[in-house]
Amino acid sequence: MEIDRSLKKIRMGMVGGGQGAFIGAIHRAAANLDGKIELVCGAFSSDPQNSQKSGQLLSVPAARCYSDFNTMFTQEAKLPASQRMQFVSIVTPNHLHFPVAVAALRAGFHVMSDKPATFTLNEALELKKIIERSGCLYGLTHTYTGYPMVKEATARVANGELGEITKIVVEYSQGWLANKEDEQGKQASWRLDPERAGVSCCMGDIGVHAANLAETISGLEIVQLCADLEPVVDGRELDDDGTVLLRFNNGAKGVLLSSQIAVGEENNLNIRIYGKKASLQWQQMEPNTLWMRFNDKSSHMIRAGVGDCAAATAQSLRTPAGHPEGYIEAFANLYAQFAQQIRDFEQSERTDISLQAPGINAAIRGMAFIENTVAASKSSQKWHPFLLSNIQL
């Protein structure tokens, strides 16, 4: 008897994420969490021996632990459709995101990429054209959009519960790069290297998450900005701290703070959105709680899994109220969405936009945010338009 296609696991390959890599392990745990995806192959390291060893530790057959991503795509494409990988997860340093994605798409494989999507905005714009020509799916792991209470906040703003949005304050602060000696670790070394990270460290690594969260929850788009970025620790070429003033397309104002030298901070991502009727606040380190506040009545604490919630929120919850769901679960929500997109794609069905993982448009706006903030910080001009092309760095 033939197995129901909806019960078969989606087959994933991975580029990057070998031994010692932080984010690759997170991606694998997230993809595996709901039992909808299986890792079948990988080019886990630029060192062929490390790739082979890493894959074997993950129980990937030796024959499918490849020396490089081009070989992987070529060999996987030769396998029967029922065996070859269906999509690749890209978890390399930034400079490799674009070439790996392009090679995968041209070989006929869907792509799920860590952010930022590419090394430059021009690459992101070119990537969109390649995606459209390929007919394949593309997803981007803007992780924090996967949290249930972020989905709930988004729904409440869209329903008009806050009224017209007037101000947004969003912060992502860390302290892990506060000292010169912090640069020695593997995770720090490439993020501070412009040849591998791109034009920004802090804004490219975490500030872009804050910008994405502000636009996602509010439903607004940044149209102007004023930026002040700098490396606080001597000898660094890329920024490790920054402040950005924002103007949105409805006239609302905003402030974005991002830092990797804020001593004592862990992963302090928090957002406050103010409307004419109410405001809301969400903090990543208290992810199951969403606050709504008012001028004329008591504040409301909304808890994950308690009472009525939006459909998108309900679909992203796994446990009863009071059982914390966090970072890996948020990641897993994006992978579960992407797996469903692939199932729908193969059945010639369209997935509702609200149930899709972030895609190439979010990727383009993310790269535009990074390059616009860097360009604005270098300029003596105060306000700069949020451009989607022709940014002078």
Side-chain angles (χ1 to χ4, degrees):
M1 184 176 68
E2 185 178 356
I3 299 175
D4 185 342
R5 291 173 63 91
S6 66
L7 300 178
K8 293 181 179 179
K9 291 186 178 183
I10 299 297
R11 297 177 300 279
M12 179 181 82
M14 178 168 278
V15 176
Q19 295 181 88
F22 158 69
I23 203 64
I26 296 293
H27 278 258
R28 288 191 293 271
N32 187 58
L33 188 61
D34 295 308
K36 297 179 179 180
I37 297 170
E38 63 177 329
L39 178 67
V40 298
C41 66
F44 300 104
S45 172
S46 57
D47 178 347
Q49 289 186 331
N50 187 35
S51 180
Q52 187 70 219
K53 186 174 181 180
S54 296
Q56 290 180 11
L57 288 172
L58 296 168
S59 299
V60 176
R64 297 181 77 177
C65 298
Y66 299 100
S67 59
D68 62 87
F69 64 85
N70 283 311
T71 300
M72 182 170 84
F73 298 146
T74 299
Q75 295 303 116
E76 286 293 310
K78 293 178 181 178
L79 295 175
S82 61
Q83 297 178 25
R84 71 173 74 114
M85 74 171 185
Q86 292 163 278
F87 80 98
V88 63
S89 173
I90 303 173
V91 292
T92 65
N94 300 352
H95 69 296
L96 290 172
H97 290 182
F98 178 72
V100 176
V102 170
L105 292 163
R106 288 177 173 164
F109 297 110
H110 307 298
V111 171
M112 184 67 141
S113 177
D114 199 30
K115 50 90 345 239
T118 55
F119 199 63
T120 67
L121 174 57
N122 284 339
E123 285 184 349
L125 295 170
E126 180 62 24
L127 183 60
K128 182 173 184 177
K129 297 176 184 177
I130 294 169
I131 293 168
E132 291 170 347
R133 289 196 295 266
S134 74
C136 294
L137 300 173
Y138 177 87
L140 187 71
T141 53
H142 264 303
T143 318
Y144 307 100
T145 62
Y147 277 101
M149 288 293 95
V150 168
K151 295 180 183 297
E152 184 67 18
T154 303
R156 288 176 180 259
V157 172
N159 290 340
E161 294 185 35
L162 273 64
E164 181 184 351
I165 303 303
T166 56
K167 189 174 184 66
I168 299 173
V169 180
V170 62
E171 174 188 9
Y172 198 158
S173 292
Q174 302 171 333
W176 72 296
L177 291 178
N179 301 301
K180 189 69 177 176
E181 55 267 29
D182 296 330
E183 300 174 11
Q184 304 308 312
K186 180 178 180 180
Q187 303 306 318
S189 62
W190 75 258
R191 285 175 170 83
L192 289 163
D193 178 5
E195 295 299 316
R196 290 180 287 172
V199 296
S200 169
C201 174
C202 184
M203 284 298 159
D205 193 28
I206 60 175
V208 67
H209 275 308
N212 174 261
L213 198 66
E215 291 195 332
T216 297
I217 297 178
S218 71
L220 303 175
E221 291 186 344
I222 300 166
V223 292
Q224 285 184 300
L225 53 80
C226 171
D228 179 20
L229 316 182
E230 65 176 350
V232 172
V233 176
D234 289 342
R236 290 180 180 168
E237 187 173 347
L238 298 180
D239 57 287
D240 52 27
D241 181 81
T243 303
V244 188
L245 302 180
L246 306 169
R247 288 176 176 169
F248 293 87
N249 57 339
N250 75 332
K253 306 293 180 62
V255 181
L256 186 152
L257 306 173
S258 186
S259 180
Q260 292 165 312
I261 52 84
V263 173
E265 295 288 3
E266 299 171 13
N267 273 280
N268 183 16
L269 172 61
N270 67 84
I271 185 168
R272 302 193 301 277
I273 299 184
Y274 300 92
K276 290 187 174 180
K277 296 195 296 185
S279 65
L280 61 77
Q281 180 177 11
W282 179 80
Q283 295 176 286
Q284 196 260 161
M285 292 175 66
E286 294 288 342
N288 278 25
T289 300
L290 175 67
W291 282 98
M292 287 194 67
R293 296 187 172 93
F294 312 85
N295 277 343
D296 57 353
K297 56 184 175 181
S298 299
S299 299
H300 293 178
M301 182 176 71
I302 303 156
R303 291 284 292 166
V306 179
D308 295 333
C309 63
T313 308
Q315 289 185 343
S316 63
L317 290 166
R318 293 176 176 78
T319 60
H323 294 268
E325 297 188 40
Y327 185 64
I328 291 178
E329 288 86 352
F331 246 116
N333 284 333
L334 301 186
Y335 271 96
Q337 288 177 330
F338 198 61
Q340 187 58 50
Q341 286 176 246
I342 292 174
R343 293 189 196 282
D344 292 343
F345 178 88
E346 293 183 348
Q347 295 296 312
S348 299
E349 297 177 3
R350 180 168 177 78
T351 309
D352 185 281
I353 187 69
S354 66
L355 302 177
Q356 295 180 21
I360 188 59
N361 290 331
I364 290 171
R365 291 197 63 80
M367 286 308 308
F369 172 78
I370 295 167
E371 293 196 4
N372 276 293
T373 54
V374 170
S377 183
K378 291 179 178 179
S379 172
S380 59
Q381 179 181 327
K382 182 176 181 181
W383 287 101
H384 295 257
F386 189 93
L387 302 175
L388 290 176
S389 62
N390 300 320
I391 299 171
Q392 300 299 314
L393 294 174

